[in-house]
Structure formats: C-alpha cells, structure tokens
Amino acid sequence: LNQYATIEAGELFIFAADAKQGKSMMLLNCTVDLLKQGLSVLYIDSELNTRLFTARIIAHLTGIEYRRLVSGAYSDVESEKIKEAIEWLKTRRFTHIYLPMFDQQTIYTAVKRTKHTVGLDVLVIDYFKSNTENTGDAYATYAELGKFTDFVKNRIAGNMNIAAIGACQATAAGKVADSAKIGRNASTIAVITNKTQEEIIEDGDECGNKKLKIILNRNGSQHAEGEYIDLMFKGDNILYEEAKQHKPKLPY
C-alpha cells in the first residue's frame, strides 16, 4: 500500500467498504501503527463507545480473541498481557471520542482542543456519513457529504497541517455508495472487499481473504482492472496483515 499512498499531513486517505466488512478494524490497525511511531492521534468514532473500542484495541495488541477478552475467559498469563497493553496505551498521545452524530463544528472543536492540549498529528474519522441520510432527500445527503469531506481535507488537514484518514460506505461492487463528491475531495480512496471463494482458490490460501484496490489517487498510481493488494483479515483478533501477493493472471 505504501507504494501507492501514505498517511501524510495535508492529505485525506479514505478506506471504503460495504457494511460490516472491516472498515473500522482497518482504521484501528492504522491507528495502532501510528501510535507505535509516537504520533498523536484523535479518533472520532460514530460506532463504538470508548469502552468497546478499548476492548478491540487490546484484543489487537495482545492477540487474545475479542470474544474471550470481553467475556473474561482468559488465562493469568493473558491477563498480564492485557495489563501491559493498557499501560502501553496510557503512554501514547491518543484521544478517542464517541460521537454517534457529528458535524463540522463538532469535529473542528474536538481537533482544536486536542491540538492545543496534547498536540495532534492524525485525525481519524469513523466514518463519513450524512446527518440527513434518513430524510429521503438523496441530493441533500450527497451535498452534505461533499461539503464535509471538503471541510476535513482542506479546513482540517490542509489548514492545520495534520493527516486525516477515514472510512465510508461502499457498495458490494466496490463503488463509493454515499456520494461521488467524497471521491472529488479525498486524496486517496482504497476499497476493501471480500475475496470470492473462487479468488481464494485461484490466488491460494496464503494470499489472504480480502483484497484492497486503490480506485482514486491524487498522490500516485491506482490499480487497473483486475489488480489488487492481498490482505489477510482475522476478525477475532481485530487484525489486518499483508498477505502473500498473488501472481496476476496474464492474458493469452
């Protein structure tokens, strides 16, 4: 993925995926990587409260399955791993805010407060959605999403010189579902989809169960038809890993 785009100040990188297909878990993986680099991260979360998010991030850090972790079905040795993960998190400059609904002013206030108190390198938004999407007015939804994406890219990332990453809904066919205007304002969009059973067989099990495709990129190249990056997704461990890359099938 780094060969196509990176998370950098002034830019907005968006992961798109269908509902319940791992958008939030990809953002969490990116967040942990950024924290390990010593960067300050603000995570605006419309899906999970801080307690549930913390449980996910501990599962990711320790390798303990999420269901066992939240049910308390772990060993004394694993209990020590959990304590170590919690202590490590306390040493990081990390702010998680649960906001089921948010707008430009809410985001701006949270960013300014975080930047003033602990400094801020990266804003994570989970996820880009409209407050008017349930009104039945598709045009209003599209316009709002376009304005919000432009606001995050230019007013936040550009003017404040911080990086921004986020997620949005995509259709099963890999199109950005909510608004084409998201694509017009984002720096890079990467779509994550499940591999079909046929693709898993053809690529090989070692090439993973997910594929990532760059469909829009202002900072580098993007994938052609049939090209993608192979990913291994382990939902129980909240973990994405780069898989062995498949060999593209050449035409005769």
Side-chain angles (χ1 to χ4, degrees):
L1 183 56
N2 287 337
Q3 296 175 16
Y4 292 86
T6 56
I7 298 169
E8 56 186 289
E11 304 292 352
L12 169 60
F13 191 112
I14 291 181
F15 293 99
D18 200 1
K20 308 303 179 185
Q21 293 300 315
K23 297 186 296 294
S24 297
M25 294 186 185
M26 175 59 84
L27 292 178
L28 184 148
N29 277 249
C30 290
T31 295
V32 170
D33 181 61
L34 293 163
L35 293 176
K36 287 180 176 178
Q37 296 178 47
L39 299 175
S40 175
V41 179
L42 168 62
Y43 196 114
I44 304 293
D45 198 334
S46 66
E47 299 287 284
L48 296 176
N49 63 36
T50 298
R51 182 181 65 83
L52 292 174
F53 181 88
T54 303
R56 278 192 176 190
I57 206 168
I58 291 172
H60 171 84
L61 288 167
T62 62
I64 301 170
E65 293 87 347
Y66 178 78
R67 292 187 183 278
R68 284 204 300 120
L69 190 145
V70 295
S71 67
Y74 46 79
S75 67
D76 291 341
V77 172
E78 289 172 328
S79 178
E80 289 303 312
K81 287 185 178 181
I82 292 170
K83 291 177 182 177
E84 290 173 5
I86 292 172
E87 289 306 311
W88 180 80
L89 276 174
K90 290 179 180 178
T91 69
R92 303 294 95 184
R93 291 182 297 155
F94 178 53
T95 306
H96 178 272
I97 301 177
Y98 174 50
L99 293 171
M101 301 299 291
F102 48 74
D103 54 22
Q104 293 184 18
Q105 186 58 50
T106 307
I107 297 291
Y108 186 80
T109 300
V111 168
K112 290 289 286 185
R113 182 184 298 117
T114 304
K115 193 174 177 67
H116 176 72
T117 55
V118 296
L120 184 59
D121 300 302
V122 185
L123 169 66
V124 182
I125 297 180
D126 186 6
Y127 63 99
F128 284 75
K129 60 183 177 182
S130 170
N131 291 331
T132 60
E133 60 187 2
N134 296 320
T135 65
D137 188 342
Y139 180 81
T141 297
Y142 297 160
E144 182 187 357
L145 279 165
K147 290 177 181 177
F148 183 68
T149 309
D150 176 67
F151 169 78
V152 172
K153 166 66 174 67
N154 295 304
R155 184 88 182 274
I156 300 292
N159 287 356
M160 297 188 185
N161 195 37
I162 63 174
I165 62 175
C168 73
Q169 290 281 82
T171 65
K175 302 292 185 181
V176 176
D178 290 328
S179 174
K181 292 185 178 180
I182 290 178
R184 292 176 193 167
N185 292 292
S187 306
T188 306
I189 293 182
V191 174
I192 302 170
T193 53
N194 288 328
K195 285 188 178 182
T196 64
Q197 193 59 41
E198 291 75 16
E199 287 172 327
I200 292 175
I201 293 171
E202 185 173 317
D203 294 347
D205 289 340
E206 68 275 16
C207 291
N209 53 8
K210 294 264 190 181
K211 56 183 181 180
L212 181 149
K213 183 172 183 174
I214 303 292
I215 63 166
L216 179 148
N217 195 5
R218 293 190 174 86
N219 296 320
S221 59
Q222 57 195 52
H223 287 115
E225 186 68 30
E227 293 181 336
Y228 52 83
I229 295 171
D230 299 89
L231 298 174
M232 180 65 75
F233 177 55
K234 301 175 183 177
D236 288 341
N237 301 108
I238 324 296
L239 179 64
Y240 272 99
E241 293 179 321
E242 182 178 336
K244 177 182 177 181
Q245 299 302 296
H246 73 287
K247 293 182 180 179
K249 189 167 62 174
L250 299 175
Y252 290 106

